[in-house]
Amino acid sequence: MLYGLQYEENTILPMLEKQLAEKKKEIDNIVTAIQKGVASDTLLARLNELERQKKAFEEQLIKEKATSPLFTKEQFKMALYNFRKIDTTTKDGKAKLIDTFIDRIYLYDDHLKIIYNINGKDEDISLEELESSNLKQCGQP
C-alpha cells in the first residue's frame, strides 16, 4: 500500500516518465523511417529536436527523483520491520520514533509549529486545540 501511495502523491514523476517514453517512441519511429531510406532535412531536424526534448525530460526526471526518491517494496518492508523493533516504552524509543517523522517543533506564546520530515510540510497547532484534546496526559509537560 505504501509502495503504491508514493506514486499517487507524486503526480509529476509518472507524468515525466510517460512523456519520456513518448519521446523515445517518436525517436524510434524516425530512426526506423531513416533506416528505410526516407531521410529528409525536416526529418533530421525533427530527430534533433526530439533528442533535445528527451534529454530535457531525462534531466527533469533525475531532479524529481532526487527531491522525491521512490522506495522499493523491500525498503518499505525493512523500514516497517525496524519500527517493530523500537521499544516505545522507553524514552529513547519514543524519541527515535518522533525523530523519524518530525524535524523541528517551535513553541510560541499562542501556538506551536511542527515541521515534519516529509517534504518539509508543517502544521500550526493553537494552544486551545492542545488544551481541548481528549488525549490523557501521560506525564509532566
Side-chain angles (χ1 to χ4, degrees):
M1 185 174 84
L2 291 172
Y3 178 75
L5 186 61
Q6 68 185 341
Y7 286 98
E8 291 176 19
E9 287 186 355
N10 187 342
T11 58
I12 295 171
L13 198 57
M15 179 193 67
L16 288 173
E17 289 173 343
K18 181 180 177 186
Q19 289 174 331
L20 180 60
E22 289 172 1
K23 294 302 169 195
K24 286 180 180 179
K25 185 176 179 181
E26 289 179 51
I27 289 169
D28 288 344
N29 290 341
I30 291 175
V31 169
T32 301
I34 292 171
Q35 288 173 340
K36 290 182 180 179
V38 183
S40 68
D41 291 338
T42 305
L43 201 55
L44 294 174
R46 179 69 179 143
L47 179 60
N48 287 332
E49 174 63 20
L50 288 172
E51 288 286 351
R52 186 191 62 72
Q53 291 175 358
K54 176 185 160 218
K55 186 176 181 180
F57 282 125
E58 288 171 338
E59 290 172 358
Q60 285 180 307
L61 199 56
I62 290 169
K63 288 178 185 175
E64 187 64 28
K65 283 183 178 179
T67 58
S68 302
L70 295 178
F71 300 101
T72 64
K73 289 181 182 179
E74 289 74 28
Q75 288 171 319
F76 277 115
K77 286 178 186 177
M78 179 60 87
L80 291 172
Y81 177 75
N82 287 336
F83 278 123
R84 287 178 48 195
K85 295 192 299 185
I86 295 174
D87 182 6
T88 58
T89 61
T90 66
K91 186 176 181 179
D92 287 339
K94 290 175 185 177
K96 190 174 191 179
L97 192 60
I98 290 170
D99 288 343
T100 301
F101 297 103
I102 296 177
D103 183 32
R104 288 168 283 182
I105 298 176
Y106 295 106
L107 179 61
Y108 299 97
D109 289 337
D110 60 342
H111 71 284
L112 50 96
K113 182 178 197 112
I114 301 173
I115 301 176
Y116 298 98
N117 283 329
I118 305 166
N119 297 329
K121 292 182 180 176
D122 62 67
E123 178 178 15
D124 287 314
I125 301 172
S126 71
L127 294 182
E128 291 80 26
E129 285 179 87
L130 287 175
E131 290 171 354
S132 67
S133 172
N134 61 358
L135 296 175
K136 295 180 181 176
Q137 186 172 349
C138 296
Q140 293 296 320

